Amino acid sequence: PSGDAVPLLLLLLLCFGVDPTLRISILDELMLPQSFDGVTQVQGFHGQSRAFLFQGSSRDVKAAAEVAKRMVQKLRGKNEFTVLVTLKQDYLNSGVIFSIHHSEHRFLELESSGQRNEVRLHYRTKGQQDHTEVFPYSLADNQWHKVSVAVSASHVILHVDCNRIYERVVEAPYMDIPGDTLFWLGQRNSAHGLFKGVMQDVEILVMPQGYISQCPDLNRTCPTCNDFHGLVQKIMELQDVLAKTSRKLSRAEEKMNALDGCYCERTCNISGVVYREDEGWTDGCMNCTCTNGSVHCETISCPPAQCPAGTTPTYVKGVCCKECQRKGLQSLSKRIFCLCPSQDRTMHQIVSSEPCPELNCPEAEQITLSDRCCKICQGHDFCSEGHGCVEHSDCVNLEAGDCCVCKDGFRPLREDNAYCEDIDECAEGKHYCRENTMCVNTPGSFMCICLTGYIRIDDYSCTEHDVCLSGLHNCDENALCLNIVGGHSCSCKPGYMGNGTVCKALCDGLCQNGGTCASPNNCICQQGFTGKRCETDINECAEGFIECDSKSTCVNLPGWYHCECRDGYHDNGFFSANGESCVDINECKTGRNTCTNDTVCFNLEGSYDCRCPHGHNCTGDCIHDNKVKHSGQIWILDSDRCSVCSCQAGQVMCRRMVCDCNNPNADLYCCPECDPRLSSQCLHQNGLLTYSSGDTWVENCQQCQCLQGQVDCWPLSCPPGDCEFTVVPEGECCPRCVTDPCQADTIRNDITKTCSDEHNISRFSGSSWIKHGTECTLCQCKVRHASHCLSKTN
């Protein structure tokens, strides 16, 4: 936006507030009563909105399903939003302000840790990985703070009390949140992350730089990262669309020019005969017309026959309507007369053209008909002598003659059944198609076509497609597939749990320290852990796997280790895993010594010495925090009540307090392992394990600790790695360096660096696009001046 647009935006926010469709007021949406289990309405930072005190360890502040669905709908798919909260958090409390999570995945969660003085933003990346962004800052000081976290694509800004504290470029959040996601306030779930303190104005604004609604004096002087990134990306997309559209228009013009002067007529082809548009013909007893390439037929309408005296209406072979014929004798040409007695003993005059043939049947089987002079055998084939059965009609022999009968699936067009028309069984409901089928009319019959996804049982019924047998299902390999009407269902095999499409193995006691249950009761441990349940950390230092430089010491950490410079040494800036980069600190030159003015600082390798000049009587006192400490004096650090320091010969020595659990006055904060109270125990995330105060463990690549009944987790500390491209191997938590950018799953996306695609269009680092002229080739900018393309797979 331009500079003129900025004051306008501020004016709109100040005068009219935020558009309600862009605001999620969590406290209002949850409609908390004045008093709720563990939550009580209190006086807030200001009196313009309600504030609530969160306390206790038994509460369940969760949005109802419909409310959560409504709030999530506003956030779904958004890549620009701001989280706002005004809070006063209890001293040293570690708690979740709000959490939007589905199953084990946190799509958006804001957490404040008073134990480690951190603000943490948890979310899912577009690569479907759980990510935590940590901001070192202390909110848990029992003081009021205004907090805002603004997300704009891959840009995150933290404001505290209207001061910009941190601004970072991170992996963009993945906000395609499922509809049945849970929405918690003041806790992660019913047992963990319990916030203690007061919260007011907990909101999510789905808009750029929403923090100006909390701090109106903060001016917005430039577009957000998302504004700029989206604008450039849209211009590049429009350029591509314009190029494609221009090519399509050119091809269309060429085709249109080639069609000038042409006239296309649709014809009808019936039994090899081609009929032109509007041309008509007679098909049996139906008049047909060719209309726009389709045949339309109607039954011939016969007028009543007005026959003169001596004639009668009679069907004539090859004619649909009756015609008038003379009664009595017909043509006598080439015919002779004979008199034949009839059954009623009267004489009939019958025309005969030739002598009677000799019969080959016994006389008892010979019969005489009233309209014939000659006898015939029983079962005589009258139809073979010629008949008038024409369209869709069959000649049928009777005892004394023949008649016409319409074929199955046809109805007569006239009384003698010589001409018949097709019956549309589907339209008239005269079919036997059952469920999962569709009736299709055919000449004289019908067909039952199976619906999509079904297979035939017989001519009239179908069943669901056996996707389980064919393998065209989405069941997990450790699930059982069951066909049901209209589809199939999946259920996990014994020893596995899940929804059927995803089944995870069950291990007795569960796998610890981030281990993966690969099959029932079989844990695959992350690197650095061992044991049946991955419960044991491998101490690389004690096992002798590691040999650190003499200026460093091996420090074992959960799952890994590192060589840390000893006291008196520091890293020279060129990190070395084995500690070779550690160099001596000259405490005398850097002022990092505690010698008093009556002594002289003398640097030593890895240390220093406070030497008393010859002939002087030195006190041996120390200077600590600009205060004089007498030789032999012992004190507790103001900044860390668990550390004890002493002054000896001008040097200050500090160490952690030694815990004596037999001492009834032991400081339980410094010695949580001495806390015997059940209320100070913590429940593991899986709900099956209990930890005592002071215990630590690793869960989902996080280091967790139980302190006086509260669980605090932070990202597992990983070895430093200064490389451009990294990959996290399956089952591990820490990234490893790789040289091939196409194998990397984490890239340092610098939006100031670009690639050039096949059309020399600039693309931002980390962006993706479909290669021009293809549908299945996905390109991604992964290096500073090159792009890489891969075939897309489903």
Side-chain angles (χ1 to χ4, degrees):
S2 65
D4 295 336
V6 175
L8 178 60
L9 176 62
L10 286 169
L11 181 63
L12 290 175
L13 283 174
L14 291 172
C15 297
F16 302 103
V18 178
D19 185 347
T21 61
L22 304 177
R23 180 192 296 271
I24 302 174
S25 182
I26 299 177
L27 288 173
D28 292 342
E29 291 283 357
L30 265 59
M31 295 184 293
L32 296 177
Q34 287 189 355
S35 182
F36 188 69
D37 189 14
V39 181
T40 306
Q41 184 172 340
V42 296
Q43 178 65 40
F45 181 71
H46 58 77
Q48 300 172 8
S49 61
R50 297 197 302 167
F52 289 91
L53 172 63
F54 292 77
Q55 55 189 352
S57 58
S58 176
R59 61 174 187 255
D60 199 12
V61 186
K62 178 177 62 175
E66 287 301 316
V67 175
K69 184 177 180 180
R70 185 170 64 247
M71 291 193 288
V72 165
Q73 184 64 37
K74 290 186 178 182
L75 267 177
R76 184 175 296 126
K78 301 298 189 296
N79 60 358
E80 198 160 40
F81 54 87
T82 304
V83 177
L84 304 171
V85 60
T86 302
L87 56 79
K88 183 171 71 170
Q89 187 176 5
D90 288 358
Y91 183 64
L92 294 177
N93 168 251
S94 294
V96 171
I97 297 169
F98 75 90
S99 179
I100 303 174
H101 65 262
H102 184 270
S103 185
E104 299 177 354
H105 303 302
R106 292 178 283 190
F107 283 87
L108 189 64
E109 179 179 296
L110 186 62
E111 181 185 14
S112 171
S113 170
Q115 300 291 345
R116 294 179 60 87
N117 295 327
E118 294 174 347
V119 177
R120 304 175 190 140
L121 179 67
H122 307 278
Y123 61 88
R124 294 270 287 170
T125 68
K126 291 185 177 180
Q128 302 296 305
Q129 299 294 321
D130 293 323
H131 180 77
T132 299
E133 195 65 28
V134 178
F135 304 97
Y137 196 88
S138 177
L139 291 177
D141 56 3
N142 205 31
Q143 301 293 322
W144 280 105
H145 296 287
K146 290 183 179 180
V147 182
S148 75
V149 180
V151 177
S152 177
S154 57
H155 212 60
V156 178
I157 305 175
L158 171 66
H159 282 85
V160 179
D161 299 327
C162 299
N163 296 307
R164 180 172 297 198
I165 307 300
Y166 292 101
E167 184 171 357
R168 297 179 182 172
V169 175
V170 298
E171 289 192 74
Y174 176 75
M175 299 302 291
D176 287 346
I177 309 174
D180 56 345
T181 298
L182 300 178
F183 205 122
W184 294 80
L185 178 65
Q187 56 197 108
R188 179 175 298 116
N189 50 45
S190 58
H192 295 99
L194 297 177
F195 175 90
K196 294 182 180 180
V198 183
M199 282 196 286
Q200 186 178 22
D201 299 332
V202 187
E203 297 178 336
I204 303 177
L205 302 184
V206 188
M207 58 181 292
Q209 298 180 336
Y211 50 78
I212 60 176
S213 68
Q214 188 184 64
C215 303
D217 293 335
L218 288 177
N219 192 10
R220 173 180 173 170
T221 58
C222 62
T224 66
C225 169
N226 188 66
D227 293 337
F228 178 71
H229 187 283
L231 181 61
V232 175
Q233 191 70 29
K234 183 62 67 176
I235 291 174
M236 291 188 291
E237 291 174 0
L238 289 175
Q239 288 176 337
D240 195 32
V241 171
L242 179 61
K244 291 179 180 178
T245 305
S246 299
R247 286 192 293 271
K248 289 181 179 179
L249 285 174
S250 298
R251 289 195 296 268
E253 288 176 354
E254 292 174 1
K255 292 182 179 180
M256 291 295 292
N257 292 334
L259 291 175
D260 286 348
C262 293
Y263 172 71
C264 298
E265 181 183 46
R266 299 186 66 182
T267 59
C268 301
N269 191 326
I270 307 298
S271 301
V273 180
V274 178
Y275 296 92
R276 300 188 63 184
E277 178 75 10
D278 295 330
E279 186 176 356
W281 68 94
T282 300
D283 184 2
C285 289
M286 303 187 78
N287 288 328
C288 299
T289 307
C290 180
T291 304
N292 195 27
S294 299
V295 177
H296 298 274
C297 297
E298 294 181 354
T299 304
I300 294 176
S301 178
C302 295
Q306 302 294 331
C307 295
T311 62
T312 182
T314 305
Y315 284 115
V316 178
K317 185 177 181 180
V319 179
C320 288
C321 297
K322 291 182 178 180
E323 295 184 355
C324 296
Q325 298 289 319
R326 284 192 305 160
K327 298 178 181 179
L329 300 176
Q330 305 297 323
S331 174
L332 303 180
S333 173
K334 295 183 181 180
R335 296 187 180 185
I336 62 174
F337 291 89
C338 68
L339 295 176
C340 298
S342 64
Q343 294 178 354
D344 57 2
R345 298 184 180 276
T346 59
M347 301 301 292
H348 293 272
Q349 190 174 15
I350 304 299
V351 178
S352 178
S353 58
E354 57 186 20
C356 292
E358 183 178 351
L359 301 177
N360 59 358
C361 59
E363 186 173 354
E365 297 179 3
Q366 298 176 6
I367 58 176
T368 301
L369 300 179
S370 60
D371 57 350
R372 291 175 181 252
C373 290
C374 301
K375 292 183 178 182
I376 61 172
C377 292
Q378 289 182 357
H380 179 71
D381 187 359
F382 298 100
C383 293
S384 63
E385 297 175 350
H387 59 82
C389 305
V390 188
E391 189 75 14
H392 305 305
S393 179
D394 292 329
C395 179
V396 178
N397 286 299
L398 302 176
E399 184 179 352
D402 61 29
C403 70
C404 295
V405 178
C406 289
K407 295 180 179 179
D408 290 341
F410 295 87
R411 64 164 62 94
L413 289 170
R414 66 184 200 184
E415 293 90 335
D416 62 353
N417 292 349
Y419 289 88
C420 306
E421 67 174 347
D422 176 51
I423 300 173
D424 190 341
E425 293 86 356
C426 299
E428 298 180 12
K430 297 179 179 179
H431 61 85
Y432 310 106
C433 295
R434 298 174 185 170
E435 62 181 8
N436 307 324
T437 65
M438 178 179 63
C439 181
V440 176
N441 188 58
T442 60
S445 184
F446 61 91
M447 293 178 62
C448 301
I449 306 299
C450 292
L451 297 176
T452 303
Y454 294 84
I455 57 176
R456 183 169 301 283
I457 297 177
D458 52 35
D459 290 343
Y460 307 108
S461 57
C462 300
T463 186
E464 60 275 5
H465 180 47
D466 194 348
V467 295
C468 297
L469 183 62
S470 64
L472 301 175
H473 58 80
N474 61 347
C475 297
D476 189 90
E477 62 180 353
N478 295 311
L480 299 175
C481 181
L482 177 64
N483 278 292
I484 59 175
V485 175
H488 67 285
S489 66
C490 307
S491 60
C492 295
K493 295 178 181 178
Y496 296 85
M497 66 176 298
N499 59 8
T501 57
V502 177
C503 294
K504 294 184 178 180
L506 286 173
C507 291
D508 185 22
L510 298 182
C511 302
Q512 301 177 26
N513 296 315
T516 303
C517 187
S519 60
N521 294 324
N522 180 25
C523 294
I524 296 180
C525 302
Q526 292 188 12
Q527 184 179 20
F529 293 96
T530 186
K532 186 177 180 181
R533 296 289 172 261
C534 307
E535 69 279 4
T536 304
D537 170 47
I538 298 175
N539 191 330
E540 293 86 354
C541 301
E543 298 289 342
F545 297 147
I546 306 305
E547 185 175 349
C548 293
D549 186 81
S550 60
K551 300 173 185 176
S552 64
T553 181
C554 182
V555 178
N556 184 63
L557 292 172
W560 71 285
Y561 68 94
H562 76 120
C563 295
E564 187 176 88
C565 294
R566 296 179 183 273
D567 290 340
Y569 296 90
H570 70 99
D571 191 87
N572 60 8
F574 300 96
F575 174 78
S576 175
N578 64 356
E580 292 180 350
S581 55
C582 296
V583 295
D584 174 57
I585 298 173
N586 190 327
E587 294 86 355
C588 299
K589 287 187 177 180
T590 58
R592 296 178 58 177
N593 63 82
T594 58
C595 299
T596 55
N597 294 333
D598 61 352
T599 58
V600 177
C601 179
F602 187 82
N603 187 60
L604 301 174
E605 181 70 18
S607 182
Y608 66 93
D609 189 15
C610 299
R611 297 184 179 181
C612 186
H614 182 69
H616 288 71
N617 185 17
C618 300
T619 61
D621 293 343
C622 305
I623 302 295
H624 185 263
D625 288 341
N626 295 322
K627 296 179 181 178
V628 176
K629 301 292 183 180
H630 299 298
S631 180
Q633 184 177 348
I634 300 175
W635 68 96
I636 295 176
L637 284 177
D638 294 336
S639 58
D640 182 6
R641 74 187 198 190
C642 300
S643 293
V644 179
C645 299
S646 64
C647 174
Q648 297 184 15
Q651 295 189 45
V652 174
M653 309 294 291
C654 295
R655 58 177 175 80
R656 292 285 294 179
M657 182 184 296
V658 177
C659 293
D660 180 8
C661 294
N662 293 323
N663 183 358
N665 297 322
D667 190 335
L668 298 182
Y669 176 77
C670 299
C671 304
E673 65 272 19
C674 300
D675 193 344
R677 296 173 299 176
L678 292 177
S679 60
S680 295
Q681 294 181 343
C682 301
L683 195 64
H684 186 274
Q685 289 91 328
N686 58 38
L688 301 177
L689 300 176
T690 301
Y691 291 100
S692 298
S693 184
D695 287 351
T696 60
W697 67 96
V698 175
E699 175 70 17
N700 291 332
C701 297
Q702 291 195 106
Q703 175 78 53
C704 299
Q705 185 178 25
C706 173
L707 285 175
Q708 297 180 340
Q710 294 188 81
V711 175
D712 191 17
C713 299
W714 54 93
L716 190 66
S717 179
C718 290
D722 187 15
C723 52
E724 188 81 11
F725 309 111
T726 60
V727 62
V728 180
E730 185 176 358
E732 297 187 17
C733 296
C734 295
R736 297 186 180 183
C737 296
V738 292
T739 56
D740 185 358
C742 299
Q743 294 179 351
D745 45 46
T746 302
I747 306 124
R748 292 183 177 178
N749 290 333
D750 187 344
I751 60 173
T752 64
K753 299 174 183 178
T754 60
C755 304
S756 295
D757 65 10
E758 64 271 23
H759 299 298
N760 288 323
I761 297 176
S762 295
R763 303 281 186 174
F764 282 120
S765 175
S767 64
S768 300
W769 67 96
I770 302 299
K771 187 176 181 181
H772 174 68
T774 70
E775 295 182 356
C776 303
T777 302
L778 178 68
C779 300
Q780 187 175 21
C781 180
K782 279 194 172 183
V783 294
R784 278 172 281 197
H785 300 290
S787 60
H788 180 71
C789 299
L790 294 172
S791 295
K792 294 170 68 180
T793 57
N794 294 325

